[in-house]
Amino acid sequence: MKKLLKWLIVLALVGALAAGIMRALKAREAKQQAAQAAAQSLLIEPTFELAPSDVLTLAPVALQQSIALTGSIKATRSATVKASVAGDVVQWQVRAGDTVKVGQLLGRIDAHDLQARLAQAQQQATAQQAATAMQTRQVQDSTRLAERGFISPSALQNAQDSLAAAQATLAATQANVRLAQKALADSLVRAPFNGQVAQSLVELGDRVGVNTPMVQIVDLSELEWEAQVTAEQLRHVRVGQSAQVRVPGLNAPLTAQVVRINPSLSAGSRNATVYLSLPKTPGLRDGDFAQGQLLTESSNTLAVPSSAVRHDQPEAYVQTIADGQVKHVEVREVALGEVQGEPHVAVEGLSAGQTVLKVSAGALANGTRVQIKAAQ
């Protein structure tokens, strides 16, 4: 009996020990699982929340295609006034920036020699006029004598020939008078049209020769934009098309219109020049540099905002969302344009229905987990 009791006690102790060991193992396993769960939670990437305005669903849109243009603004009417006669500048009264009117006196070249030549030509013409009158009377007398038979027909013919020669000489001397008068008038330098002095090239006392540049005048009332396009782009340009032009210093863009297209390409750059008329705008100057977009044609195509196309990698790409993660998709930019006044670009490499991140979402790494916040 005592031996049985002893074994029962031993069994009870063994069972209690086993139960304690099992409880200890279960507690240890629970701690390990909790530690693993905590470690796993630390490995889970954070999820970025995006506003509905940060994304768009790609779909075909009416893209007003355009061509990027650059060029300088030029006055349609400008002139470099040159000296028509040689001499000293004895009067000069304009400087750069002055406003001038058509016919306004700008300066005067010494005309003493020209005045003397005019007087000489006038005296020669007066003398020849008298000689011609004398020859006229002689022909009249010879005609009467010939009619009465007192002189031969050949004598009459000689008198008539002398009169014709005198009349020709008179015409030549009168032409010399007109030339001398023109030379004297050309000594007065006048503005050819209304405008502003862009550059004064002479000063009082300078000696000028014929065709010496004296002043440059531009008319700012009518300006045009001379923009450069490539040979490929030229095929899409037509007279009458409109462009949005931005000029540094002006707050708002200007609307220009194609008025002429140069049919020849530059030998060096292989570019062509397109001429666009500009509205009269205060502050616009000859020589201003401008950039703009020429609107060419409209097409229904897949396009994204220009700002959504990123260029911080070797190839252009767009940020999209697939399976709750950001995915960078390389694209090829096909054509620039506008959609409701906002710059867009037609792209290849995307499909309709894809979710595209706008520039407001910022730059996110490839594979970043995102979720779109529900609209309020």
Side-chain angles (χ1 to χ4, degrees):
M1 186 67 181
K2 289 182 179 180
K3 188 176 181 178
L4 180 60
L5 181 60
K6 181 178 179 181
W7 279 106
L8 289 175
I9 293 173
V10 171
L11 289 174
L13 290 175
V14 171
L17 180 61
I21 292 173
M22 290 296 295
R23 285 195 298 270
L25 291 175
K26 288 182 179 180
R28 182 178 178 182
E29 183 179 359
K31 288 181 180 180
Q32 288 177 345
Q33 291 177 350
Q36 290 177 353
Q40 188 67 25
S41 65
L42 293 176
L43 296 176
I44 296 176
E45 295 183 359
T47 299
F48 287 87
E49 191 174 71
L50 301 175
S53 59
D54 292 331
V55 298
L56 63 88
T57 300
L58 195 61
V61 292
L63 178 69
Q64 180 67 57
Q65 295 183 20
S66 62
I67 298 174
L69 301 179
T70 60
S72 298
I73 294 174
K74 302 289 185 181
T76 57
R77 189 164 59 164
S78 63
T80 299
V81 181
K82 299 180 180 179
S84 297
V85 297
D88 297 329
V89 179
V90 295
Q91 181 182 354
W92 194 249
Q93 52 196 37
V94 292
R95 295 182 178 180
D98 287 347
T99 299
V100 296
K101 300 292 185 181
V102 58
Q104 178 180 330
L105 181 65
L106 308 178
R108 185 165 56 88
I109 299 172
D110 182 28
H112 286 92
D113 290 347
L114 299 175
Q115 291 170 340
R117 291 174 187 173
L118 175 60
Q120 181 184 28
Q122 289 172 333
Q123 292 298 324
Q124 290 173 343
T126 300
Q128 187 58 39
Q129 191 172 11
T132 302
M134 184 183 299
Q135 289 293 334
T136 301
R137 290 192 298 271
Q138 185 175 353
V139 169
Q140 292 172 349
D141 293 342
S142 297
T143 301
R144 286 193 295 269
L145 291 174
E147 290 174 349
R148 297 177 183 180
F150 293 116
I151 62 173
S152 64
S154 61
L156 175 60
Q157 185 62 48
N158 290 337
Q160 291 173 338
D161 291 344
S162 296
L163 175 60
Q167 290 174 334
T169 303
L170 176 61
T173 57
Q174 290 173 337
N176 289 335
V177 170
R178 291 192 294 271
L179 289 174
Q181 290 173 334
K182 182 181 184 302
L184 183 61
D186 287 343
S187 67
L188 302 177
V189 184
R190 298 185 181 276
F193 48 77
N194 296 338
Q196 286 184 287
V197 176
Q199 192 174 9
S200 177
L201 303 173
V202 297
E203 296 290 343
L204 185 66
D206 287 350
R207 184 166 185 80
V208 297
V210 177
N211 289 331
T212 298
M214 301 187 72
V215 62
Q216 185 179 7
I217 298 175
V218 296
D219 180 8
L220 297 181
S221 64
E222 187 175 349
L223 299 172
E224 63 183 15
W225 183 31
E226 297 182 1
Q228 303 297 313
V229 296
T230 64
E232 181 181 355
Q233 293 171 334
L234 186 61
R235 296 180 176 88
H236 303 285
V237 180
R238 303 287 184 273
V239 172
Q241 291 174 336
S242 298
Q244 293 297 306
V245 186
R246 291 194 173 275
V247 182
L250 297 183
N251 295 327
L254 305 176
T255 299
Q257 189 174 44
V258 177
V259 292
R260 302 191 314 281
I261 301 173
N262 193 321
S264 300
L265 299 178
S266 171
S269 64
R270 310 304 298 170
N271 289 341
T273 303
V274 178
Y275 303 89
L276 301 94
S277 63
L278 293 168
K280 190 173 182 179
T281 306
L284 208 57
R285 296 290 179 181
D286 177 73
D288 276 339
F289 179 78
Q291 295 177 308
Q293 296 289 331
L294 176 66
L295 305 180
T296 56
E297 54 188 276
S298 181
S299 61
N300 201 44
T301 183
L302 293 178
V304 297
S306 300
S307 57
V309 181
R310 309 189 70 86
H311 299 87
D312 52 5
Q313 295 181 10
E315 300 294 335
Y317 69 95
V318 170
Q319 297 182 128
T320 65
I321 298 178
D323 299 326
Q325 293 183 336
V326 173
K327 183 180 180 182
H328 294 176
V329 179
E330 292 184 359
V331 295
R332 188 173 77 88
E333 298 172 88
V334 179
L336 297 174
E338 291 185 353
V339 176
Q340 297 180 350
E342 182 183 358
H344 277 62
V345 57
V347 294
E348 292 180 351
L350 298 176
S351 303
Q354 285 186 277
T355 301
V356 175
L357 271 63
K358 297 181 180 179
V359 67
S360 59
L364 298 178
N366 202 17
T368 301
R369 299 185 62 83
V370 294
Q371 66 177 11
I372 302 174
K373 185 180 179 181
Q376 297 292 333

